[in-house]
Amino acid sequence: MILPVKMQAGRPEPLGARFDGEGVNFAVFSEHASRMILCLFDKTGRREIANFDMPERTDHVWHGYIPGLRPGQHYGYRAHGPYRPDEGHRFNPHKLLIDPYARRISGHPAWHDALMGYEVGNPRADLSYDKRDSAPHAPRSIVVAPGFDWAGDVPPGTPLTDTVIYEAHVKGLTFRHPRVPAPGTFRALASDPMLDHYTRLGITAIELLPVHAFLNDRFLVEKGLTNYWGYQSIGFFAPDPRYMETGDIAEFQRMVARLHAAGIEVILDVVYNHTGEGNELGPTLCFRGLDNASYYRLADDRRHYVNDTGTGNTLNTNHPMVLRMVMDSLRYWVEVMHVDGFRFDLAATLGRMPHGFDPRAPFFQAIRQDPVLNRVKLIAEPWDIGPGGYQLGAFPAPFSEWNDKFRDGVRRFWRGDPGRAPDLAGRIMGSAPQFDHSGRPATASVNFVTAHDGFTLADVVSYLSKHNLANGEEGRDGHNANYSDNLGHEGPTEDEMILSARARRRRNMMATLMLSQGVPMILAGDELGHGQQGNNNAYCQDNATSWIDWQAVDDDFLAFTARVIALRKAHPILRQKLFLHSRERALDRIEDLFWRRADGAAMRRADWEDPELRLLAVEMRTASGTPEYATLEYAIFAVFNAGEAVAVSVPEAPGNQRWSLRLDTSRPGLGTAPVTGILDMPAEAVVVLVLEPAS
């Protein structure tokens, strides 16, 4: 192809690089740049073969068109403008910049001081100016061909009431599996062995840790570590190339199609609160060089960054064009990549206005009115480290929220902490104090006992303290309040009594999760017995610490987890949209929740206030639970006992019905059996009875 001498004017819409069959239109936003240069590279991406001044500017969008360009073309931008950090501007045309709308990125930067806009080591620090060309070290944006044959793909559309989320890392889940193709990739994640596992387990959605193109932080690389989790996004439209075999984005789309065909939704963990460029001493790779004052929230001195995220910078989603980029990215992943929802990292940042967190912030308003986005699953991590950063329960519909109070409440109850029974009762019923307001449903609470951030379930019952020395921060990183228990020995042991107690504790916590109102989420690997040697912040451990060992699977716990998920699915009373109440409902005037003492009497205030209370017995009832029960009364009686063995009075069953045992975590292999009168409740166990026809 012979390149033209000049670019044609092109169009300001859509943003990014778009191939139309005859050429490529380029459009990029920068309000404060004085000149924008498009740089083209050869097919290897190594040699710069041409550059063009963007010929047109429409409402701060620079645009141009080059006929004859094809998909696969490598490119980047150089932005001219003032380099005045004390005024918020950091333009440096010596730095090659990623297109914020790039749908494909060549790879990771090769760390070099030339990637910085300032002279590393200069006493003036970021007020200095570096003239070295960063192109030899910087990633390239790549033009992508439109279109993918979805062949009738139909998203499962699982209601939140029926959803069971499986939080997973693309590489960590698959890399050590002996039978998957291309371990560690999107293809592996949706391979037949993995689909068989998801189906056996019973999960309905897989929530992937960040798959947007992200950085390996320089300080980690220099220590021989890796940004494993991926919470340093640098491209909000591009899948990270480390999870692909060929770099073709269709690999991600094929993964989604295969998961959908198996009835499994795909939820992406997305990081729109900050970028991987860090603070004023970070690299100039994209947003900082294109328009620092627009893309980032700056401190009053304009030189420094607002750091509500703890990562060095905060994306300025209150700017209309930055908000537009986020919205365009979200729509792209739904409409082009067919994902089913998003989990928003540090979502309190997205709602922070000058006066503080606001559920009516532009980001929330934009999503709520968007006909594409308001129909997918939206989950907020409801905190950050900024002022007023903890906002559990404050997000607007249709957001659900990660509920860390559920995590802590379940761990503390089963650990035997005094006075925790009333808290667990609230968690089991959907955390109504946080979520039962403003018309929000019980599914607003995403319940979890473990997540990627913290101990795995095996480690919660094996370690009293975190063991993070491998992270290279002298153990300072990671949470200190883990509410964990080693049950008599720190770490691995061969003591059969301790191992038995740990296994029962895990069963109790998994059962509690699946018996609670809300949306349950389990951490991938927990069902298999995966541990991380007590590391509760394995963000940089791209190794056997984090990778699941499929040769060391706890088959008994896997079977148990599948069983309690199936139990949840079989009984709608465990997964209701409306909150249950121990008083009469305003709608149907039917009492549906009864808390009982071991002797069968109703719980009284004094009982709830007893700090030694270790047993919760609850009857959940409905007049027409499932079709098979027709006009029969339908109820579940669940007992959560963190104390000693005790006799528990079973509620009286109607004449033509009986209570049937469905779960006993002290005897996980036990089948169903009728129970009348008195239940011999084991110590430290969960028991579930279901009211069913007597014959």
Side-chain angles (χ1 to χ4, degrees), residues 212-258:
H212 289 171
F214 61 88
L215 298 182
N216 285 332
D217 308 74
R218 188 176 189 176
F219 80 95
L220 290 176
V221 172
E222 291 175 347
K223 290 193 295 185
L225 297 172
T226 302
N227 175 13
Y228 172 68
W229 285 350
Y231 291 93
Q232 287 286 48
S233 298
I234 198 65
F236 296 118
F237 293 78
D240 194 279
R242 73 197 75 190
Y243 301 139
M244 297 188 283
E245 297 174 84
T246 66
D248 186 350
I249 66 171
E251 294 179 36
F252 182 91
Q253 294 166 311
R254 282 192 288 270
M255 175 197 73
V256 172
R258 285 183 58 82

Side-chain angles (χ1 to χ4, degrees), residues 294-344:
S294 294
Y295 279 105
Y296 293 116
R297 291 178 58 202
L298 304 179
D300 291 341
D301 65 3
R302 308 298 289 170
R303 177 183 173 186
H304 298 95
Y305 295 80
V306 171
N307 187 21
D308 291 339
T309 64
T311 62
N313 67 55
T314 303
L315 205 62
N316 184 19
T317 51
N318 290 332
H319 189 289
M321 291 301 288
V322 180
L323 177 60
R324 174 183 168 181
M325 178 188 69
V326 172
M327 297 296 291
D328 286 347
S329 169
L330 291 169
R331 280 190 292 266
Y332 172 76
W333 288 96
V334 173
E335 295 184 307
V336 177
M337 307 299 254
H338 281 211
V339 305
D340 305 280
F342 304 95
R343 179 265 190 191
F344 295 90

Side-chain angles (χ1 to χ4, degrees), residues 82 219 257 339 348 410 466 468 540 562 598 615 683:
F219 80 95
V339 305
V410 170
K466 63 186 182 182
N468 295 358
C540 57
L615 181 141

Side-chain angles (χ1 to χ4, degrees), residues 327-597:
M327 297 296 291
D328 286 347
S329 169
L330 291 169
R331 280 190 292 266
Y332 172 76
W333 288 96
V334 173
E335 295 184 307
V336 177
M337 307 299 254
H338 281 211
V339 305
D340 305 280
F342 304 95
R343 179 265 190 191
F344 295 90
D345 178 64
L346 301 182
T349 300
L350 301 173
R352 184 167 284 107
M353 301 293 287
H355 57 276
F357 178 84
D358 190 339
R360 296 164 297 181
F363 171 76
F364 299 130
Q365 300 284 49
I367 281 189
R368 295 179 71 187
Q369 62 79 41
D370 190 282
V372 172
L373 300 178
N374 63 20
R375 59 180 173 82
V376 301
K377 291 179 172 64
L378 303 170
I379 302 169
E381 182 183 40
W383 52 76
D384 65 12
I385 67 166
Y390 190 76
Q391 293 292 333
L392 180 68
F395 283 72
F399 280 84
S400 297
E401 302 175 36
W402 269 27
N403 186 353
D404 63 322
K405 289 188 179 297
F406 182 95
R407 175 198 64 199
D408 296 347
V410 170
R411 291 186 185 187
R412 296 187 69 182
F413 176 83
W414 288 113
R415 192 173 68 167
D417 290 9
R420 302 309 302 175
D423 179 78
L424 185 70
R427 304 301 154 212
I428 293 169
M429 290 301 120
S431 297
Q434 282 73 40
F435 298 106
D436 191 8
H437 62 83
S438 307
R440 301 187 75 184
T443 51
S445 177
V446 175
N447 301 327
F448 63 99
V449 179
T450 58
H452 70 275
D453 185 5
F455 279 146
T456 68
L457 189 59
D459 285 356
V460 168
V461 300
S462 301
Y463 295 91
L464 276 174
S465 305
K466 63 186 182 182
H467 296 264
N468 295 358
L469 287 177
N471 296 350
E473 300 179 45
E474 299 181 349
R476 294 186 300 269
D477 63 302
H479 299 294
N480 293 315
N482 295 293
Y483 305 117
S484 58
D485 186 3
N486 63 22
L487 284 99
H489 180 84
E490 188 75 355
T493 181
E494 296 182 2
D495 187 307
E496 290 297 329
M497 290 186 63
I498 293 176
L499 292 175
S500 177
R502 288 176 177 178
R504 182 182 289 202
R505 181 74 56 85
R506 284 191 291 148
R507 292 194 296 269
N508 288 340
M509 290 192 285
M510 184 64 75
T512 305
L513 175 62
M514 291 303 159
L515 294 171
S516 297
Q517 304 295 329
V519 180
M521 183 187 80
I522 63 176
L523 174 64
D526 275 355
E527 79 281 12
L528 306 172
H530 172 67
Q532 294 178 168
Q533 298 83 52
N535 193 321
N536 75 347
N537 188 34
Y539 77 102
C540 57
Q541 298 298 319
D542 188 5
N543 51 46
T545 299
S546 300
W547 305 335
I548 294 170
D549 184 359
W550 290 87
Q551 302 294 334
V553 170
D554 184 339
D555 289 313
D556 290 339
F557 192 65
L558 172 58
F560 176 82
T561 304
R563 182 182 177 187
V564 292
I565 291 175
L567 178 67
R568 179 181 181 85
K569 289 183 175 182
H571 296 287
I573 206 167
L574 298 174
R575 45 186 174 82
Q576 301 191 67
K577 183 177 180 180
L578 297 176
F579 286 91
L580 297 177
H581 296 285
S582 55
R583 59 184 183 276
E584 291 187 348
R585 275 186 179 173
L587 295 178
D588 56 18
R589 311 297 292 176
I590 297 174
E591 219 172 351
D592 49 29
L593 183 65
F594 304 85
W595 294 100
R596 303 190 188 280
R597 302 187 316 201

Side-chain angles (χ1 to χ4, degrees), residues 128-298:
S128 63
Y129 183 77
D130 187 273
K131 295 184 178 181
R132 286 174 293 181
D133 184 11
S134 71
H137 317 286
R140 315 291 192 244
S141 305
I142 303 175
V143 178
V144 170
F148 175 79
D149 183 6
W150 284 97
D153 174 68
V154 178
T158 307
L160 273 173
T161 50
D162 301 339
T163 295
V164 178
I165 298 173
Y166 188 68
E167 191 199 24
H169 187 281
V170 174
K171 182 176 182 180
L173 179 59
T174 65
F175 194 67
R176 300 182 72 183
H177 198 294
R179 294 187 295 109
V180 301
T185 66
F186 295 129
R187 181 156 75 105
L189 195 79
S191 62
D192 288 343
M194 296 309 305
L195 294 178
D196 290 343
H197 178 69
Y198 308 144
T199 302
R200 176 188 177 187
L201 187 58
I203 58 104
T204 69
I206 187 164
E207 180 178 306
L208 297 178
L209 268 69
V211 299
H212 289 171
F214 61 88
L215 298 182
N216 285 332
D217 308 74
R218 188 176 189 176
F219 80 95
L220 290 176
V221 172
E222 291 175 347
K223 290 193 295 185
L225 297 172
T226 302
N227 175 13
Y228 172 68
W229 285 350
Y231 291 93
Q232 287 286 48
S233 298
I234 198 65
F236 296 118
F237 293 78
D240 194 279
R242 73 197 75 190
Y243 301 139
M244 297 188 283
E245 297 174 84
T246 66
D248 186 350
I249 66 171
E251 294 179 36
F252 182 91
Q253 294 166 311
R254 282 192 288 270
M255 175 197 73
V256 172
R258 285 183 58 82
L259 288 167
H260 281 180
I264 297 167
E265 296 183 308
V266 178
I267 298 171
L268 298 187
D269 193 335
V270 289
V271 188
Y272 296 112
N273 57 79
H274 75 279
T275 80
E277 289 186 305
N279 64 14
E280 65 276 3
L281 299 180
T284 297
L285 299 171
C286 180
F287 312 97
R288 173 175 286 130
L290 283 171
D291 194 345
N292 186 67
S294 294
Y295 279 105
Y296 293 116
R297 291 178 58 202
L298 304 179

